[in-house]
PDB file of all heavy atoms in Angstrom:
ATOM      1  N   GLY A 231      46.453 -78.689   7.770  1.00 92.00           N
ATOM      2  CA  GLY A 231      46.166 -80.107   7.972  1.00 92.00           C
ATOM      3  C   GLY A 231      46.075 -80.411   9.451  1.00 92.00           C
ATOM      4  O   GLY A 231      45.620 -79.576  10.231  1.00 92.00           O
ATOM      5  N   ALA A 232      46.521 -81.591   9.833  1.00 91.00           N
ATOM      6  CA  ALA A 232      46.387 -82.006  11.232  1.00 91.00           C
ATOM      7  C   ALA A 232      47.584 -82.828  11.674  1.00 91.00           C
ATOM      8  O   ALA A 232      48.157 -83.585  10.893  1.00 91.00           O
ATOM      9  CB  ALA A 232      45.116 -82.829  11.407  1.00 91.00           C
ATOM     10  N   TYR A 233      47.940 -82.669  12.944  1.00 88.00           N
ATOM     11  CA  TYR A 233      48.919 -83.502  13.619  1.00 88.00           C
ATOM     12  C   TYR A 233      48.172 -84.370  14.617  1.00 88.00           C
ATOM     13  O   TYR A 233      47.131 -83.979  15.126  1.00 88.00           O
ATOM     14  CB  TYR A 233      49.916 -82.659  14.411  1.00 88.00           C
ATOM     15  CG  TYR A 233      50.915 -81.908  13.581  1.00 88.00           C
ATOM     16  CD1 TYR A 233      51.025 -80.536  13.686  1.00 88.00           C
ATOM     17  CD2 TYR A 233      51.776 -82.566  12.719  1.00 88.00           C
ATOM     18  CE1 TYR A 233      51.955 -79.839  12.951  1.00 88.00           C
ATOM     19  CE2 TYR A 233      52.704 -81.873  11.980  1.00 88.00           C
ATOM     20  CZ  TYR A 233      52.798 -80.510  12.104  1.00 88.00           C
ATOM     21  OH  TYR A 233      53.718 -79.822  11.377  1.00 88.00           O
ATOM     22  N   ARG A 234      48.736 -85.515  14.907  1.00 92.00           N
ATOM     23  CA  ARG A 234      48.204 -86.364  15.964  1.00 92.00           C
ATOM     24  C   ARG A 234      49.335 -86.620  16.943  1.00 92.00           C
ATOM     25  O   ARG A 234      50.459 -86.913  16.542  1.00 92.00           O
ATOM     26  CB  ARG A 234      47.700 -87.689  15.380  1.00 92.00           C
ATOM     27  CG  ARG A 234      47.097 -88.631  16.393  1.00 92.00           C
ATOM     28  CD  ARG A 234      46.510 -89.870  15.707  1.00 92.00           C
ATOM     29  NE  ARG A 234      47.527 -90.674  15.057  1.00 92.00           N
ATOM     30  CZ  ARG A 234      48.164 -91.704  15.638  1.00 92.00           C
ATOM     31  NH1 ARG A 234      47.884 -92.046  16.875  1.00 92.00           N
ATOM     32  NH2 ARG A 234      49.059 -92.390  14.957  1.00 92.00           N
ATOM     33  N   TYR A 235      49.050 -86.480  18.230  1.00 92.00           N
ATOM     34  CA  TYR A 235      50.032 -86.685  19.292  1.00 92.00           C
ATOM     35  C   TYR A 235      49.642 -87.922  20.086  1.00 92.00           C
ATOM     36  O   TYR A 235      48.465 -88.111  20.404  1.00 92.00           O
ATOM     37  CB  TYR A 235      50.078 -85.461  20.201  1.00 92.00           C
ATOM     38  CG  TYR A 235      50.416 -84.198  19.441  1.00 92.00           C
ATOM     39  CD1 TYR A 235      49.410 -83.345  18.999  1.00 92.00           C
ATOM     40  CD2 TYR A 235      51.729 -83.878  19.138  1.00 92.00           C
ATOM     41  CE1 TYR A 235      49.708 -82.203  18.278  1.00 92.00           C
ATOM     42  CE2 TYR A 235      52.036 -82.740  18.413  1.00 92.00           C
ATOM     43  CZ  TYR A 235      51.025 -81.902  17.992  1.00 92.00           C
ATOM     44  OH  TYR A 235      51.322 -80.777  17.276  1.00 92.00           O
ATOM     45  N   TYR A 236      50.634 -88.751  20.434  1.00 93.00           N
ATOM     46  CA  TYR A 236      50.342 -90.003  21.128  1.00 93.00           C
ATOM     47  C   TYR A 236      51.589 -90.518  21.844  1.00 93.00           C
ATOM     48  O   TYR A 236      52.677 -89.947  21.698  1.00 93.00           O
ATOM     49  CB  TYR A 236      49.810 -91.057  20.141  1.00 93.00           C
ATOM     50  CG  TYR A 236      50.730 -91.303  18.959  1.00 93.00           C
ATOM     51  CD1 TYR A 236      51.587 -92.391  18.936  1.00 93.00           C
ATOM     52  CD2 TYR A 236      50.758 -90.428  17.882  1.00 93.00           C
ATOM     53  CE1 TYR A 236      52.440 -92.611  17.871  1.00 93.00           C
ATOM     54  CE2 TYR A 236      51.606 -90.636  16.807  1.00 93.00           C
ATOM     55  CZ  TYR A 236      52.444 -91.731  16.810  1.00 93.00           C
ATOM     56  OH  TYR A 236      53.297 -91.929  15.757  1.00 93.00           O
ATOM     57  N   ASN A 237      51.414 -91.573  22.624  1.00 94.00           N
ATOM     58  CA  ASN A 237      52.495 -92.220  23.374  1.00 94.00           C
ATOM     59  C   ASN A 237      53.245 -91.250  24.290  1.00 94.00           C
ATOM     60  O   ASN A 237      54.466 -91.314  24.403  1.00 94.00           O
ATOM     61  CB  ASN A 237      53.491 -92.924  22.445  1.00 94.00           C
ATOM     62  CG  ASN A 237      52.910 -94.139  21.766  1.00 94.00           C
ATOM     63  OD1 ASN A 237      51.810 -94.574  22.101  1.00 94.00           O
ATOM     64  ND2 ASN A 237      53.622 -94.685  20.799  1.00 94.00           N
ATOM     65  N   ALA A 238      52.526 -90.385  24.958  1.00 94.00           N
ATOM     66  CA  ALA A 238      53.158 -89.430  25.871  1.00 94.00           C
ATOM     67  C   ALA A 238      53.538 -90.112  27.183  1.00 94.00           C
ATOM     68  O   ALA A 238      52.760 -90.892  27.730  1.00 94.00           O
ATOM     69  CB  ALA A 238      52.207 -88.273  26.150  1.00 94.00           C
ATOM     70  N   THR A 239      54.765 -89.842  27.648  1.00 94.00           N
ATOM     71  CA  THR A 239      55.208 -90.327  28.951  1.00 94.00           C
ATOM     72  C   THR A 239      55.883 -89.189  29.695  1.00 94.00           C
ATOM     73  O   THR A 239      56.572 -88.366  29.095  1.00 94.00           O
ATOM     74  CB  THR A 239      56.182 -91.517  28.845  1.00 94.00           C
ATOM     75  OG1 THR A 239      57.317 -91.123  28.079  1.00 94.00           O
ATOM     76  CG2 THR A 239      55.533 -92.729  28.202  1.00 94.00           C
ATOM     77  N   VAL A 240      55.674 -89.166  31.004  1.00 93.00           N
ATOM     78  CA  VAL A 240      56.204 -88.106  31.854  1.00 93.00           C
ATOM     79  C   VAL A 240      57.069 -88.716  32.938  1.00 93.00           C
ATOM     80  O   VAL A 240      56.728 -89.749  33.512  1.00 93.00           O
ATOM     81  CB  VAL A 240      55.052 -87.317  32.519  1.00 93.00           C
ATOM     82  CG1 VAL A 240      55.593 -86.279  33.485  1.00 93.00           C
ATOM     83  CG2 VAL A 240      54.177 -86.680  31.471  1.00 93.00           C
ATOM     84  N   ASP A 241      58.178 -88.054  33.227  1.00 95.00           N
ATOM     85  CA  ASP A 241      59.022 -88.434  34.353  1.00 95.00           C
ATOM     86  C   ASP A 241      59.238 -87.170  35.176  1.00 95.00           C
ATOM     87  O   ASP A 241      59.897 -86.231  34.717  1.00 95.00           O
ATOM     88  CB  ASP A 241      60.359 -88.992  33.858  1.00 95.00           C
ATOM     89  CG  ASP A 241      61.265 -89.430  34.988  1.00 95.00           C
ATOM     90  OD1 ASP A 241      60.755 -89.753  36.088  1.00 95.00           O
ATOM     91  OD2 ASP A 241      62.501 -89.436  34.779  1.00 95.00           O
ATOM     92  N   VAL A 242      58.658 -87.125  36.358  1.00 94.00           N
ATOM     93  CA  VAL A 242      58.805 -85.966  37.234  1.00 94.00           C
ATOM     94  C   VAL A 242      60.077 -86.162  38.043  1.00 94.00           C
ATOM     95  O   VAL A 242      60.238 -87.167  38.737  1.00 94.00           O
ATOM     96  CB  VAL A 242      57.579 -85.814  38.158  1.00 94.00           C
ATOM     97  CG1 VAL A 242      57.758 -84.625  39.086  1.00 94.00           C
ATOM     98  CG2 VAL A 242      56.319 -85.675  37.330  1.00 94.00           C
ATOM     99  N   THR A 243      60.991 -85.198  37.942  1.00 92.00           N
ATOM    100  CA  THR A 243      62.289 -85.327  38.600  1.00 92.00           C
ATOM    101  C   THR A 243      62.444 -84.384  39.785  1.00 92.00           C
ATOM    102  O   THR A 243      63.511 -84.310  40.363  1.00 92.00           O
ATOM    103  CB  THR A 243      63.425 -85.081  37.585  1.00 92.00           C
ATOM    104  OG1 THR A 243      63.232 -83.810  36.973  1.00 92.00           O
ATOM    105  CG2 THR A 243      63.416 -86.158  36.508  1.00 92.00           C
ATOM    106  N   GLY A 244      61.417 -83.681  40.131  1.00 90.00           N
ATOM    107  CA  GLY A 244      61.440 -82.759  41.263  1.00 90.00           C
ATOM    108  C   GLY A 244      60.158 -81.957  41.263  1.00 90.00           C
ATOM    109  O   GLY A 244      59.318 -82.119  40.387  1.00 90.00           O
ATOM    110  N   LYS A 245      60.023 -81.079  42.260  1.00 92.00           N
ATOM    111  CA  LYS A 245      58.768 -80.325  42.348  1.00 92.00           C
ATOM    112  C   LYS A 245      58.593 -79.346  41.189  1.00 92.00           C
ATOM    113  O   LYS A 245      57.476 -78.934  40.894  1.00 92.00           O
ATOM    114  CB  LYS A 245      58.656 -79.599  43.683  1.00 92.00           C
ATOM    115  CG  LYS A 245      59.626 -78.472  43.872  1.00 92.00           C
ATOM    116  CD  LYS A 245      59.399 -77.753  45.174  1.00 92.00           C
ATOM    117  CE  LYS A 245      60.299 -76.532  45.224  1.00 92.00           C
ATOM    118  NZ  LYS A 245      59.954 -75.654  46.292  1.00 92.00           N
ATOM    119  N   ASP A 246      59.699 -78.982  40.527  1.00 94.00           N
ATOM    120  CA  ASP A 246      59.580 -78.037  39.413  1.00 94.00           C
ATOM    121  C   ASP A 246      60.318 -78.487  38.155  1.00 94.00           C
ATOM    122  O   ASP A 246      60.586 -77.693  37.267  1.00 94.00           O
ATOM    123  CB  ASP A 246      60.063 -76.653  39.844  1.00 94.00           C
ATOM    124  CG  ASP A 246      61.549 -76.625  40.187  1.00 94.00           C
ATOM    125  OD1 ASP A 246      62.171 -77.705  40.281  1.00 94.00           O
ATOM    126  OD2 ASP A 246      62.090 -75.525  40.370  1.00 94.00           O
ATOM    127  N   ARG A 247      60.621 -79.773  38.065  1.00 96.00           N
ATOM    128  CA  ARG A 247      61.324 -80.302  36.893  1.00 96.00           C
ATOM    129  C   ARG A 247      60.662 -81.596  36.431  1.00 96.00           C
ATOM    130  O   ARG A 247      60.230 -82.409  37.241  1.00 96.00           O
ATOM    131  CB  ARG A 247      62.783 -80.613  37.224  1.00 96.00           C
ATOM    132  CG  ARG A 247      63.563 -79.423  37.704  1.00 96.00           C
ATOM    133  CD  ARG A 247      64.426 -78.894  36.614  1.00 96.00           C
ATOM    134  NE  ARG A 247      65.207 -77.776  37.133  1.00 96.00           N
ATOM    135  CZ  ARG A 247      65.396 -76.674  36.478  1.00 96.00           C
ATOM    136  NH1 ARG A 247      64.886 -76.531  35.284  1.00 96.00           N
ATOM    137  NH2 ARG A 247      66.099 -75.695  36.974  1.00 96.00           N
ATOM    138  N   ALA A 248      60.626 -81.773  35.113  1.00 95.00           N
ATOM    139  CA  ALA A 248      60.066 -82.999  34.547  1.00 95.00           C
ATOM    140  C   ALA A 248      60.579 -83.167  33.120  1.00 95.00           C
ATOM    141  O   ALA A 248      61.107 -82.231  32.519  1.00 95.00           O
ATOM    142  CB  ALA A 248      58.542 -82.929  34.551  1.00 95.00           C
ATOM    143  N   SER A 249      60.423 -84.364  32.608  1.00 95.00           N
ATOM    144  CA  SER A 249      60.694 -84.614  31.195  1.00 95.00           C
ATOM    145  C   SER A 249      59.430 -85.205  30.589  1.00 95.00           C
ATOM    146  O   SER A 249      58.641 -85.867  31.274  1.00 95.00           O
ATOM    147  CB  SER A 249      61.881 -85.559  31.009  1.00 95.00           C
ATOM    148  OG  SER A 249      61.606 -86.821  31.572  1.00 95.00           O
ATOM    149  N   LEU A 250      59.239 -84.938  29.334  1.00 94.00           N
ATOM    150  CA  LEU A 250      58.091 -85.437  28.594  1.00 94.00           C
ATOM    151  C   LEU A 250      58.578 -85.918  27.240  1.00 94.00           C
ATOM    152  O   LEU A 250      59.307 -85.203  26.551  1.00 94.00           O
ATOM    153  CB  LEU A 250      57.060 -84.319  28.395  1.00 94.00           C
ATOM    154  CG  LEU A 250      55.929 -84.600  27.406  1.00 94.00           C
ATOM    155  CD1 LEU A 250      54.991 -85.664  27.944  1.00 94.00           C
ATOM    156  CD2 LEU A 250      55.170 -83.331  27.077  1.00 94.00           C
ATOM    157  N   THR A 251      58.199 -87.126  26.890  1.00 95.00           N
ATOM    158  CA  THR A 251      58.445 -87.613  25.533  1.00 95.00           C
ATOM    159  C   THR A 251      57.082 -87.926  24.920  1.00 95.00           C
ATOM    160  O   THR A 251      56.151 -88.327  25.620  1.00 95.00           O
ATOM    161  CB  THR A 251      59.333 -88.875  25.509  1.00 95.00           C
ATOM    162  OG1 THR A 251      58.708 -89.905  26.249  1.00 95.00           O
ATOM    163  CG2 THR A 251      60.714 -88.589  26.072  1.00 95.00           C
ATOM    164  N   TYR A 252      56.985 -87.712  23.623  1.00 94.00           N
ATOM    165  CA  TYR A 252      55.741 -88.001  22.919  1.00 94.00           C
ATOM    166  C   TYR A 252      56.029 -88.149  21.433  1.00 94.00           C
ATOM    167  O   TYR A 252      57.071 -87.724  20.934  1.00 94.00           O
ATOM    168  CB  TYR A 252      54.691 -86.913  23.161  1.00 94.00           C
ATOM    169  CG  TYR A 252      55.066 -85.538  22.658  1.00 94.00           C
ATOM    170  CD1 TYR A 252      54.646 -85.093  21.414  1.00 94.00           C
ATOM    171  CD2 TYR A 252      55.840 -84.677  23.429  1.00 94.00           C
ATOM    172  CE1 TYR A 252      54.983 -83.842  20.945  1.00 94.00           C
ATOM    173  CE2 TYR A 252      56.184 -83.423  22.971  1.00 94.00           C
ATOM    174  CZ  TYR A 252      55.753 -83.008  21.737  1.00 94.00           C
ATOM    175  OH  TYR A 252      56.097 -81.760  21.275  1.00 94.00           O
ATOM    176  N   CYS A 253      55.084 -88.773  20.758  1.00 96.00           N
ATOM    177  CA  CYS A 253      55.182 -88.958  19.311  1.00 96.00           C
ATOM    178  C   CYS A 253      54.233 -87.997  18.609  1.00 96.00           C
ATOM    179  O   CYS A 253      53.185 -87.636  19.151  1.00 96.00           O
ATOM    180  CB  CYS A 253      54.814 -90.381  18.935  1.00 96.00           C
ATOM    181  SG  CYS A 253      55.998 -91.618  19.518  1.00 96.00           S
ATOM    182  N   GLU A 254      54.633 -87.621  17.391  1.00 94.00           N
ATOM    183  CA  GLU A 254      53.806 -86.755  16.562  1.00 94.00           C
ATOM    184  C   GLU A 254      53.677 -87.399  15.181  1.00 94.00           C
ATOM    185  O   GLU A 254      54.674 -87.744  14.562  1.00 94.00           O
ATOM    186  CB  GLU A 254      54.465 -85.383  16.453  1.00 94.00           C
ATOM    187  CG  GLU A 254      53.725 -84.409  15.572  1.00 94.00           C
ATOM    188  CD  GLU A 254      54.465 -83.088  15.490  1.00 94.00           C
ATOM    189  OE1 GLU A 254      55.598 -83.074  14.955  1.00 94.00           O
ATOM    190  OE2 GLU A 254      53.928 -82.097  15.968  1.00 94.00           O
ATOM    191  N   ASP A 255      52.448 -87.533  14.738  1.00 96.00           N
ATOM    192  CA  ASP A 255      52.146 -88.044  13.402  1.00 96.00           C
ATOM    193  C   ASP A 255      51.924 -86.833  12.494  1.00 96.00           C
ATOM    194  O   ASP A 255      50.955 -86.104  12.654  1.00 96.00           O
ATOM    195  CB  ASP A 255      50.893 -88.918  13.469  1.00 96.00           C
ATOM    196  CG  ASP A 255      50.371 -89.360  12.105  1.00 96.00           C
ATOM    197  OD1 ASP A 255      50.939 -88.959  11.064  1.00 96.00           O
ATOM    198  OD2 ASP A 255      49.371 -90.094  12.094  1.00 96.00           O
ATOM    199  N   GLN A 256      52.849 -86.609  11.562  1.00 94.00           N
ATOM    200  CA  GLN A 256      52.770 -85.478  10.642  1.00 94.00           C
ATOM    201  C   GLN A 256      52.259 -85.887   9.261  1.00 94.00           C
ATOM    202  O   GLN A 256      52.328 -85.105   8.318  1.00 94.00           O
ATOM    203  CB  GLN A 256      54.151 -84.835  10.481  1.00 94.00           C
ATOM    204  CG  GLN A 256      54.720 -84.276  11.752  1.00 94.00           C
ATOM    205  CD  GLN A 256      56.104 -83.672  11.547  1.00 94.00           C
ATOM    206  OE1 GLN A 256      56.734 -83.829  10.501  1.00 94.00           O
ATOM    207  NE2 GLN A 256      56.578 -82.972  12.555  1.00 94.00           N
ATOM    208  N   SER A 257      51.716 -87.092   9.140  1.00 96.00           N
ATOM    209  CA  SER A 257      51.352 -87.616   7.817  1.00 96.00           C
ATOM    210  C   SER A 257      50.208 -86.846   7.150  1.00 96.00           C
ATOM    211  O   SER A 257      50.044 -86.926   5.938  1.00 96.00           O
ATOM    212  CB  SER A 257      50.996 -89.102   7.908  1.00 96.00           C
ATOM    213  OG  SER A 257      49.833 -89.303   8.697  1.00 96.00           O
ATOM    214  N   LYS A 258      49.444 -86.091   7.930  1.00 95.00           N
ATOM    215  CA  LYS A 258      48.331 -85.320   7.357  1.00 95.00           C
ATOM    216  C   LYS A 258      48.533 -83.812   7.552  1.00 95.00           C
ATOM    217  O   LYS A 258      47.588 -83.046   7.557  1.00 95.00           O
ATOM    218  CB  LYS A 258      47.012 -85.785   7.970  1.00 95.00           C
ATOM    219  CG  LYS A 258      46.656 -87.201   7.543  1.00 95.00           C
ATOM    220  CD  LYS A 258      45.367 -87.670   8.142  1.00 95.00           C
ATOM    221  CE  LYS A 258      44.973 -89.035   7.675  1.00 95.00           C
ATOM    222  NZ  LYS A 258      45.931 -90.083   7.865  1.00 95.00           N
ATOM    223  N   ALA A 259      49.792 -83.396   7.706  1.00 93.00           N
ATOM    224  CA  ALA A 259      50.147 -81.982   7.827  1.00 93.00           C
ATOM    225  C   ALA A 259      51.011 -81.602   6.626  1.00 93.00           C
ATOM    226  O   ALA A 259      51.929 -82.343   6.265  1.00 93.00           O
ATOM    227  CB  ALA A 259      50.906 -81.736   9.127  1.00 93.00           C
ATOM    228  N   TYR A 260      50.693 -80.465   6.021  1.00 93.00           N
ATOM    229  CA  TYR A 260      51.351 -80.078   4.778  1.00 93.00           C
ATOM    230  C   TYR A 260      51.734 -78.600   4.809  1.00 93.00           C
ATOM    231  O   TYR A 260      51.090 -77.795   5.475  1.00 93.00           O
ATOM    232  CB  TYR A 260      50.408 -80.316   3.581  1.00 93.00           C
ATOM    233  CG  TYR A 260      49.778 -81.676   3.594  1.00 93.00           C
ATOM    234  CD1 TYR A 260      48.455 -81.849   3.980  1.00 93.00           C
ATOM    235  CD2 TYR A 260      50.513 -82.798   3.231  1.00 93.00           C
ATOM    236  CE1 TYR A 260      47.874 -83.105   3.997  1.00 93.00           C
ATOM    237  CE2 TYR A 260      49.930 -84.068   3.250  1.00 93.00           C
ATOM    238  CZ  TYR A 260      48.620 -84.209   3.642  1.00 93.00           C
ATOM    239  OH  TYR A 260      48.049 -85.447   3.670  1.00 93.00           O
ATOM    240  N   ASP A 261      52.783 -78.253   4.065  1.00 92.00           N
ATOM    241  CA  ASP A 261      53.160 -76.845   3.924  1.00 92.00           C
ATOM    242  C   ASP A 261      52.200 -76.148   2.965  1.00 92.00           C
ATOM    243  O   ASP A 261      51.799 -76.719   1.949  1.00 92.00           O
ATOM    244  CB  ASP A 261      54.584 -76.713   3.371  1.00 92.00           C
ATOM    245  CG  ASP A 261      55.640 -77.095   4.394  1.00 92.00           C
ATOM    246  OD1 ASP A 261      55.332 -77.085   5.600  1.00 92.00           O
ATOM    247  OD2 ASP A 261      56.771 -77.402   3.981  1.00 92.00           O
ATOM    248  N   MET A 262      51.860 -74.919   3.330  1.00 94.00           N
ATOM    249  CA  MET A 262      51.026 -74.094   2.452  1.00 94.00           C
ATOM    250  C   MET A 262      51.728 -72.743   2.288  1.00 94.00           C
ATOM    251  O   MET A 262      52.108 -72.115   3.284  1.00 94.00           O
ATOM    252  CB  MET A 262      49.638 -73.858   3.046  1.00 94.00           C
ATOM    253  CG  MET A 262      48.766 -72.997   2.128  1.00 94.00           C
ATOM    254  SD  MET A 262      47.099 -72.729   2.748  1.00 94.00           S
ATOM    255  CE  MET A 262      47.382 -71.417   3.913  1.00 94.00           C
ATOM    256  N   TYR A 263      51.907 -72.307   1.056  1.00 95.00           N
ATOM    257  CA  TYR A 263      52.555 -71.030   0.774  1.00 95.00           C
ATOM    258  C   TYR A 263      51.496 -69.939   0.740  1.00 95.00           C
ATOM    259  O   TYR A 263      50.467 -70.062   0.078  1.00 95.00           O
ATOM    260  CB  TYR A 263      53.381 -71.134  -0.511  1.00 95.00           C
ATOM    261  CG  TYR A 263      54.532 -72.071  -0.265  1.00 95.00           C
ATOM    262  CD1 TYR A 263      54.399 -73.438  -0.485  1.00 95.00           C
ATOM    263  CD2 TYR A 263      55.710 -71.600   0.284  1.00 95.00           C
ATOM    264  CE1 TYR A 263      55.426 -74.310  -0.180  1.00 95.00           C
ATOM    265  CE2 TYR A 263      56.744 -72.465   0.587  1.00 95.00           C
ATOM    266  CZ  TYR A 263      56.603 -73.817   0.357  1.00 95.00           C
ATOM    267  OH  TYR A 263      57.622 -74.685   0.680  1.00 95.00           O
ATOM    268  N   LEU A 264      51.737 -68.882   1.500  1.00 94.00           N
ATOM    269  CA  LEU A 264      50.725 -67.858   1.747  1.00 94.00           C
ATOM    270  C   LEU A 264      50.323 -67.080   0.502  1.00 94.00           C
ATOM    271  O   LEU A 264      49.141 -66.783   0.321  1.00 94.00           O
ATOM    272  CB  LEU A 264      51.202 -66.910   2.843  1.00 94.00           C
ATOM    273  CG  LEU A 264      51.478 -67.586   4.189  1.00 94.00           C
ATOM    274  CD1 LEU A 264      52.079 -66.600   5.173  1.00 94.00           C
ATOM    275  CD2 LEU A 264      50.222 -68.223   4.742  1.00 94.00           C
ATOM    276  N   LYS A 265      51.279 -66.725  -0.347  1.00 94.00           N
ATOM    277  CA  LYS A 265      50.969 -65.897  -1.513  1.00 94.00           C
ATOM    278  C   LYS A 265      50.018 -66.602  -2.473  1.00 94.00           C
ATOM    279  O   LYS A 265      49.053 -66.012  -2.952  1.00 94.00           O
ATOM    280  CB  LYS A 265      52.264 -65.501  -2.236  1.00 94.00           C
ATOM    281  CG  LYS A 265      52.053 -64.507  -3.341  1.00 94.00           C
ATOM    282  CD  LYS A 265      53.371 -64.035  -3.925  1.00 94.00           C
ATOM    283  CE  LYS A 265      53.126 -63.016  -5.010  1.00 94.00           C
ATOM    284  NZ  LYS A 265      54.392 -62.513  -5.557  1.00 94.00           N
ATOM    285  N   THR A 266      50.279 -67.864  -2.729  1.00 95.00           N
ATOM    286  CA  THR A 266      49.477 -68.615  -3.703  1.00 95.00           C
ATOM    287  C   THR A 266      48.429 -69.517  -3.041  1.00 95.00           C
ATOM    288  O   THR A 266      47.556 -70.036  -3.726  1.00 95.00           O
ATOM    289  CB  THR A 266      50.381 -69.522  -4.556  1.00 95.00           C
ATOM    290  OG1 THR A 266      51.020 -70.466  -3.683  1.00 95.00           O
ATOM    291  CG2 THR A 266      51.415 -68.707  -5.319  1.00 95.00           C
ATOM    292  N   GLU A 267      48.563 -69.725  -1.741  1.00 94.00           N
ATOM    293  CA  GLU A 267      47.737 -70.664  -0.970  1.00 94.00           C
ATOM    294  C   GLU A 267      47.866 -72.089  -1.503  1.00 94.00           C
ATOM    295  O   GLU A 267      46.995 -72.934  -1.288  1.00 94.00           O
ATOM    296  CB  GLU A 267      46.285 -70.213  -0.889  1.00 94.00           C
ATOM    297  CG  GLU A 267      46.113 -68.935  -0.104  1.00 94.00           C
ATOM    298  CD  GLU A 267      44.659 -68.591   0.162  1.00 94.00           C
ATOM    299  OE1 GLU A 267      43.753 -69.319  -0.267  1.00 94.00           O
ATOM    300  OE2 GLU A 267      44.442 -67.565   0.819  1.00 94.00           O
ATOM    301  N   LYS A 268      48.983 -72.354  -2.181  1.00 95.00           N
ATOM    302  CA  LYS A 268      49.241 -73.684  -2.703  1.00 95.00           C
ATOM    303  C   LYS A 268      49.695 -74.597  -1.563  1.00 95.00           C
ATOM    304  O   LYS A 268      50.590 -74.252  -0.799  1.00 95.00           O
ATOM    305  CB  LYS A 268      50.320 -73.647  -3.788  1.00 95.00           C
ATOM    306  CG  LYS A 268      50.584 -75.007  -4.393  1.00 95.00           C
ATOM    307  CD  LYS A 268      51.557 -74.943  -5.542  1.00 95.00           C
ATOM    308  CE  LYS A 268      51.736 -76.340  -6.097  1.00 95.00           C
ATOM    309  NZ  LYS A 268      52.567 -76.360  -7.273  1.00 95.00           N
ATOM    310  N   VAL A 269      49.054 -75.760  -1.465  1.00 95.00           N
ATOM    311  CA  VAL A 269      49.394 -76.756  -0.456  1.00 95.00           C
ATOM    312  C   VAL A 269      50.271 -77.817  -1.104  1.00 95.00           C
ATOM    313  O   VAL A 269      49.927 -78.355  -2.163  1.00 95.00           O
ATOM    314  CB  VAL A 269      48.121 -77.397   0.133  1.00 95.00           C
ATOM    315  CG1 VAL A 269      48.474 -78.513   1.102  1.00 95.00           C
ATOM    316  CG2 VAL A 269      47.263 -76.338   0.812  1.00 95.00           C
ATOM    317  N   ILE A 270      51.406 -78.100  -0.484  1.00 92.00           N
ATOM    318  CA  ILE A 270      52.322 -79.118  -0.981  1.00 92.00           C
ATOM    319  C   ILE A 270      52.069 -80.397  -0.191  1.00 92.00           C
ATOM    320  O   ILE A 270      52.498 -80.527   0.952  1.00 92.00           O
ATOM    321  CB  ILE A 270      53.797 -78.678  -0.819  1.00 92.00           C
ATOM    322  CG1 ILE A 270      54.037 -77.302  -1.434  1.00 92.00           C
ATOM    323  CG2 ILE A 270      54.736 -79.739  -1.388  1.00 92.00           C
ATOM    324  CD1 ILE A 270      53.749 -77.200  -2.911  1.00 92.00           C
ATOM    325  N   LYS A 271      51.335 -81.331  -0.795  1.00 93.00           N
ATOM    326  CA  LYS A 271      51.024 -82.594  -0.126  1.00 93.00           C
ATOM    327  C   LYS A 271      52.165 -83.571  -0.373  1.00 93.00           C
ATOM    328  O   LYS A 271      52.505 -83.861  -1.520  1.00 93.00           O
ATOM    329  CB  LYS A 271      49.700 -83.166  -0.621  1.00 93.00           C
ATOM    330  CG  LYS A 271      48.526 -82.339  -0.154  1.00 93.00           C
ATOM    331  CD  LYS A 271      47.231 -83.087  -0.295  1.00 93.00           C
ATOM    332  CE  LYS A 271      46.118 -82.274   0.334  1.00 93.00           C
ATOM    333  NZ  LYS A 271      44.856 -82.986   0.319  1.00 93.00           N
TER     334      LYS A 271
END
């Protein structure tokens, strides 16, 4: 399926350090079992 990423914000705390927060929409991502290829929606 698909994920959507949004609302990303960055805070740089030094030349080699930063924090990142973001949202992930998992509403269209589903587990699929390899043996049967069954998708669990």
Side-chain angles (χ1 to χ4, degrees):
Y233 287 123
R234 181 175 65 92
Y235 302 96
Y236 55 99
N237 291 351
T239 58
V240 176
D241 181 25
V242 179
T243 55
K245 68 177 187 168
D246 65 350
R247 301 258 182 223
S249 63
L250 168 69
T251 59
Y252 63 96
C253 293
E254 178 182 64
D255 172 357
Q256 298 179 350
S257 65
K258 292 180 177 55
Y260 311 104
D261 288 340
M262 180 178 81
Y263 293 89
L264 300 174
K265 187 174 181 178
T266 62
E267 294 189 359
K268 182 175 181 175
V269 175
I270 307 300
K271 290 196 174 184

